[in-house]
Amino acid sequence: GWIGSRFGRRAEPTGAADGGGAAASAELLRWLFFTTCFDADADRCAAASTALGSLLQCAAPRWVPSPDDVASALVLWGADPDALGGGGLEEGAEALLGGAGGAGEASEADLRLNLLALLDALPFATPHWRTQLLSSQDWALALLWRLLVEPHAAPALPALQDAISALIGPSPDGAASPLLGRGGYVLRAFASDLPCSSLLRLCQLLPPGHAGAALQASASLAALRMVVERHHAAPVPPGAAEADSAGGGSANGVSANGVSADGGSADGGSESAGAAALLSELQSLVGSVGREHRKWASHTAELHASLLLLDLAVSSHLASARSSAAGAASSFDALRPSLGLLKSHVQRIRGTYDYFGLECESLLSYLQNKLLLFCGSNGEHDGP
């Protein structure tokens, strides 16, 4: 409290007369970050994290911990630099310590306290990353996103979600984040080796809200394709949505779920095109699973995760389409026959006591009913 009240306002630029204070504030912020990451005393670590977050709420702090600083701290705690996906993290870790040696002989339990304290301060740093890291926002999102499935970071899940929300949400002037249309691209870049259960959790644990739903839509579609391709020898032909988003976005600034880049609804024509593109992609993936259903007979747990990802992709689009023209939403009724055919395949390949096989069958019925109720409520037709 004393640090925040004493130095908080002086961290803002107030003219040349306060130049000494500004320099001290930068040093103070670095010291607080270092204390948060490496102090073995739980009380000092928590106090430093609170003070750091308080000072970072200024309009223009003199220093903000970057994604490289955060990743370097994780490397010093024993994280694999290759898993984090950043280049030169070992050198960055040495620079962070300033030649003071390693992170000490702290136990794993002690390091967990430092990790949680650092994550608690990140929601106050990520708003500044939007303006200071114009060329590396993908890397920043990947770092935060990867931590969502780390067991040691689980107690700080709300803070991580807030940090991601601040990174992908609209800026103070209302500008949309370019990351909204790049969720699938970013996910493929850092999660290609993760099991399907982790891919599912990465999509499920994204923050709530409009921007989070838009990111979830593109991410769940990419994750679904990743899981399906792992079980098929031949590549699955891309649907229109996958082809449009290969460069990290889609044509005319509309993502695959029919949501515009600002997280709102696009115009009627573009939204109908976005719905058609997503429907084409989902039909391609569902049809591929149906044709290769025998390969999933011993992998019904992965098939269940794939169907949950399918539900996320469809639900994200349907939620955004409620305020759109009926045709853009009701076109998804065309997916129901493919789901029905896949359900019949699952009934043939599942065992009598196959829990995940039974769950797949139940989930396919649920998805069919969801599409029937939603498409019927938009007045197109009631379906069979």
Side-chain angles (χ1 to χ4, degrees):
W2 180 86
I3 292 179
S5 61
R6 175 67 178 84
F7 293 100
R9 288 179 294 178
R10 298 185 70 184
E12 300 184 19
T14 55
D18 198 33
S25 295
E27 294 173 1
L28 177 62
L29 287 165
R30 291 189 180 93
W31 175 78
L32 288 172
F33 177 77
F34 186 90
T35 303
T36 298
C37 294
F38 303 116
D39 198 303
D41 183 82
D43 292 334
R44 287 196 299 267
C45 177
S49 174
T50 301
L52 179 62
S54 176
L55 293 177
L56 290 176
Q57 294 183 63
C58 299
R62 291 299 184 180
W63 181 83
V64 176
S66 68
D68 285 338
D69 293 325
V70 175
S72 295
L74 295 175
V75 169
L76 288 169
W77 293 333
D80 182 6
D82 294 332
L84 294 175
L89 289 180
E90 294 90 341
E91 294 80 1
E94 294 177 1
L96 178 63
L97 280 179
E105 300 297 328
S107 67
E108 187 176 277
D110 295 330
L111 293 178
R112 190 179 298 116
L113 294 175
N114 295 109
L115 171 64
L116 298 180
L118 174 60
L119 297 182
D120 284 339
L122 284 186
F124 306 106
T126 50
H128 303 288
W129 293 358
R130 291 194 55 142
T131 56
Q132 298 178 8
L133 303 173
L134 299 179
S135 62
S136 58
Q137 289 189 15
D138 286 0
W139 150 236
L141 175 60
L143 176 63
L144 297 175
W145 203 348
R146 180 66 176 83
L147 291 173
L148 286 178
V149 293
E150 287 300 320
H152 292 322
L157 175 62
L160 270 174
Q161 290 178 325
D162 289 344
I164 293 175
S165 293
L167 186 63
I168 67 175
S171 61
D173 60 359
S177 170
L179 293 171
L180 291 184
R182 297 177 61 80
Y185 173 81
V186 175
L187 185 69
R188 281 180 174 273
F190 80 89
S192 58
D193 297 330
L194 292 180
C196 62
S197 58
S198 295
L199 290 174
L200 175 61
R201 292 184 64 228
L202 283 171
C203 296
Q204 290 175 326
L205 295 179
L206 285 170
H210 213 71
L215 183 62
Q216 185 182 70
S218 59
S220 56
L221 187 62
L224 174 59
R225 173 168 282 275
M226 290 165 64
V227 175
V228 171
E229 287 179 342
R230 290 176 184 178
H231 290 82
H232 294 183
V236 182
E242 182 75 8
D244 286 345
S245 61
S250 57
N252 302 322
V254 181
S255 62
N257 66 328
V259 177
S260 62
D262 61 357
S265 298
D267 60 79
S270 296
E271 198 155 305
S272 298
L278 179 57
L279 177 61
S280 173
E281 173 69 3
L282 292 177
Q283 286 179 319
S284 173
L285 292 171
V286 172
S288 178
V289 173
R291 289 189 298 272
E292 304 282 348
H293 62 274
R294 290 182 178 84
K295 295 183 178 180
W296 295 85
S298 58
H299 302 284
T300 50
E302 288 84 353
L303 179 58
H304 182 246
S306 300
L307 294 177
L308 289 174
L309 288 167
L310 173 64
D311 182 31
L312 283 177
V314 171
S315 299
S316 298
H317 172 77
L318 294 182
S320 66
R322 285 191 180 275
S323 60
S324 69
S330 60
S331 63
F332 270 69
D333 193 53
L335 186 60
R336 288 200 300 120
S338 299
L339 295 175
L341 181 60
L342 180 57
K343 179 182 174 181
S344 66
H345 291 319
V346 170
Q347 289 172 332
R348 287 196 292 268
I349 65 173
R350 70 168 175 81
T352 305
Y353 300 105
D354 184 352
Y355 170 78
F356 286 108
L358 291 169
E359 285 294 308
C360 289
E361 185 179 342
S362 175
L363 185 53
L364 284 166
S365 297
Y366 165 76
L367 286 169
Q368 286 181 287
N369 289 332
K370 174 187 284 189
L371 291 174
L372 174 63
L373 291 172
F374 185 89
C375 296
S377 68
N378 279 275
E380 285 292 299
H381 48 77
D382 294 331

